[in-house]
Amino acid sequence: MKPEFDLCIIGGGAGGLVVAASGASLGAKVALVEKHKLGGDCLYYGCVPSKTLLHSAALAHSMRNAARFGIEAHTPRVNIGAVMQRVASVIKTIEPNDSPERFRGMGVDVIFGSGQFIDPHTFTVNGRHITAKKFVIATGSRPAIPSIQGLYKTPYLTNETVFNLHENVAHVIVLGAGPIGLEMAQAFVRLGSQVSVVQRGAGILPKEDSDVAAVVLEQLRNEGVNFYLGHTPMQVEGADGDLRLTVQDSDGQQKNLHTTHLLVATGRQTNLESLGLEAAGVGLNNGRLILDARLRTTQKHIYACGDVAGHYQFTHMAEHTAGVVLRNALFHLPAKVEQRVIPWCTFTDPEVARVGLSETEAKQQGIAHKAYTFPFHDIDRAQAEGATHGFAKIITGPKGKLLGAALVGPHAGEIIHEYVLALSQRLKASDLSKVIHIYPTLAQINRRVADARLKEGLTPMAKKWIKRIFQLRG
Ligand SMILES: Cc1cc2nc3c(=O)[nH]c(=O)nc-3n(C[C@H](O)[C@H](O)[C@H](O)COP(=O)(O)OP(=O)(O)OC[C@H]3O[C@@H](n4cnc5c(N)ncnc54)[C@H](O)[C@@H]3O)c2cc1C
């Protein structure tokens, strides 16, 4: 029997929506199954609310520190309820882009409910059997909850509940010092809460070089965040507004931390349970989908994209992997997931942006490399804006080919894109040195750090000749 649809997508978040919209616009007959609301984590519990919250927090921080800029400082009166109302209103403004009406208007059959495969070619939801030539699993991820004694019976926040807070938070302990934990820690400390961060590992932002992470750590400490690094959460008890967390350091010493709120940000877990993957014959390894480079599962007509499909759990990766799935599933073009040039940003202040190899990775992988840095302190625009913490770092091969870049500083997430292009085009540091950068911009740091490599790259003979020319000219 002919399948009813060309494409059936399970999960209507960042990845699933791109596949659905593009598939329908290309004339495919598309079904989209969503168990909750179209839009997914990014819109409701992730990127959009977190960046909106951080913006309010930045404003409060600026008010407190206005005297540095010649303006009378104020201790802002923060109303968390009103701040979260603004978060909700930003979500509401963006929401129509992901509305079921919009997708139905494109010809997509939007079906609400959560279902499961009953065989490799049939997904059943609300009693309806959906047959399709190709399936796409795009069910995203949720907060991974660590097994801490007492946690299951104690109230705690995650990214799925924190944006619903109505009352001010006196003290929040954040479990986890990755991007989500640190963004939330800075947001709450700037909004007037006492904030502590508990991290099992010895450092924060474990994917970044330690000198990069150190800049963020110093800034957050200066803003009043307490860090318990190398501390393992052992036990939690108490009730709403009165919690006690017991942590243990690497020497086995325990201490009790008291708090009003606990926010769990200890990683992500993919949503793959209850999809009937066994009935579909889709293989898993350690709870993760087994995928080839074209994002096909062990059933070649069932694909995956977004957070379920890889280690880089970002909205832009969900969009990228959605594109890979489309090219493979609809056009039968052998498209593969980008592995080399993947940028990301942690939106603390200062921001941390990365693309390509870090210095640590280059060392670990035994890749011949050199690292060059340039401080924001020496960038005039950074001085003008009083945002001088941080630096740019590039990693190059022996002949100057760019291998990676990291920026920790103001607007790092915007400035990094020059390196994204440079890496994708396999350029050298000297190519960046040749480009005129507008004065005074923060992006000038990209040229300055490349110049550092250029200066070093001059041969002794070239240096001798330059000296001679200057001597001749007096
Ligand atoms: C606090 C936070 C901040 C973040 N900030 C950023 C950021 O600044 N930049 C960035 O790039 N990324 C950020 N991310 C990551 C980003 O949100 C995710 O990478 C992105 O949403 C993944 O898209 P996705 O399509 O895989 O999953 P999602 O967008 O989560 O969509 C999955 C969808 O599948 C649905 N679903 C789940 N199970 C089923 C089922 N059984 N049946 C039917 N439907 C189902 C869900 O309801 C959901 O709608 C952040 C994440 C968090 C948590």
Side-chain angles (χ1 to χ4, degrees), residues 11 13-15 34-35 41 46-47 51 139-140 159 306-307 313-316:
E34 165 58 50
K35 80 165 180 188
D41 254 27
C47 330
K51 268 78 259 182
T139 45
N159 68 294
D307 280 6
Q313 295 181 322
F314 304 110
T315 294
H316 46 279

Side-chain angles (χ1 to χ4, degrees), residues 141-423:
S141 64
R142 61 180 186 277
I145 306 302
S147 73
I148 300 170
Q149 200 183 328
L151 186 60
Y152 71 97
K153 54 180 179 184
T154 318
Y156 62 86
L157 298 163
T158 67
N159 68 294
E160 291 178 355
T161 50
V162 68
F163 304 110
N164 296 331
L165 283 170
H166 295 298
E167 284 170 9
N168 286 4
V169 172
H171 184 186
V172 59
I173 295 180
V174 180
L175 299 186
I180 295 174
L182 294 187
E183 287 181 10
M184 289 301 102
Q186 190 167 43
F188 278 98
V189 81
R190 289 181 164 191
L191 291 169
S193 306
Q194 203 186 322
V195 178
S196 308
V197 174
V198 174
Q199 163 86 334
R200 208 185 290 248
I204 65 167
L205 297 176
K207 280 191 185 152
E208 310 301 344
D209 286 340
S210 55
D211 55 348
V212 171
V215 176
V216 178
L217 183 63
E218 189 193 357
Q219 175 69 24
L220 289 180
R221 279 191 168 137
N222 287 343
E223 291 186 20
V225 178
N226 288 313
F227 280 89
Y228 295 90
L229 301 178
H231 281 74
T232 306
M234 303 299 290
Q235 192 187 351
V236 57
E237 56 193 345
D240 242 344
D242 182 18
L243 302 170
R244 194 179 72 175
L245 176 73
T246 308
V247 294
Q248 180 171 299
D249 68 15
S250 49
D251 298 327
Q253 298 287 323
Q254 293 200 347
K255 21 174 126 58
N256 292 323
L257 311 176
H258 294 270
T259 185
T260 56
H261 295 76
L262 188 65
L263 172 62
V264 177
T266 46
R268 310 284 302 163
Q269 184 172 344
T270 47
N271 295 323
L272 291 170
E273 305 83 0
S274 69
L275 289 174
L277 296 181
E278 224 176 286
V282 169
L284 293 173
N285 184 9
N286 269 335
R288 300 191 70 91
L289 290 169
I290 301 170
L291 296 170
D292 65 11
R294 296 166 62 179
L295 297 177
R296 294 176 301 187
T297 65
T298 46
Q299 286 286 0
K300 298 297 175 216
H301 67 290
I302 303 180
Y303 293 77
C305 69
D307 280 6
V308 291
H311 297 290
Y312 297 99
Q313 295 181 322
F314 304 110
T315 294
H316 46 279
M317 282 311 282
E319 289 173 357
H320 167 69
T321 50
V324 171
V325 165
L326 273 165
R327 274 172 277 158
N328 281 304
L330 290 186
F331 295 118
H332 305 280
L333 295 170
K336 290 187 179 168
V337 181
E338 171 68 48
Q339 299 290 349
R340 202 174 56 87
V341 188
I342 299 174
W344 65 80
C345 181
T346 299
F347 293 89
T348 45
D349 172 12
E351 292 181 357
V352 181
R354 252 288 292 292
V355 61
L357 273 190
S358 69
E359 194 176 358
T360 314
E361 287 167 349
K363 278 181 194 154
Q364 282 167 352
Q365 294 170 29
I367 295 171
H369 70 281
K370 283 215 154 193
Y372 303 87
T373 59
F374 194 90
F376 273 100
H377 182 270
D378 292 345
I379 296 295
D380 292 356
R381 181 61 179 271
Q383 285 292 348
E385 297 190 358
T388 53
H389 291 310
F391 56 87
K393 184 196 290 200
I394 55 170
I395 316 299
T396 72
K399 293 190 176 161
K401 192 176 148 197
L402 276 170
L403 302 176
L407 285 161
V408 52
H411 300 288
E414 309 291 336
I415 308 169
I416 196 78
H417 288 98
E418 187 171 1
Y419 293 117
V420 180
L421 182 64
L423 266 124

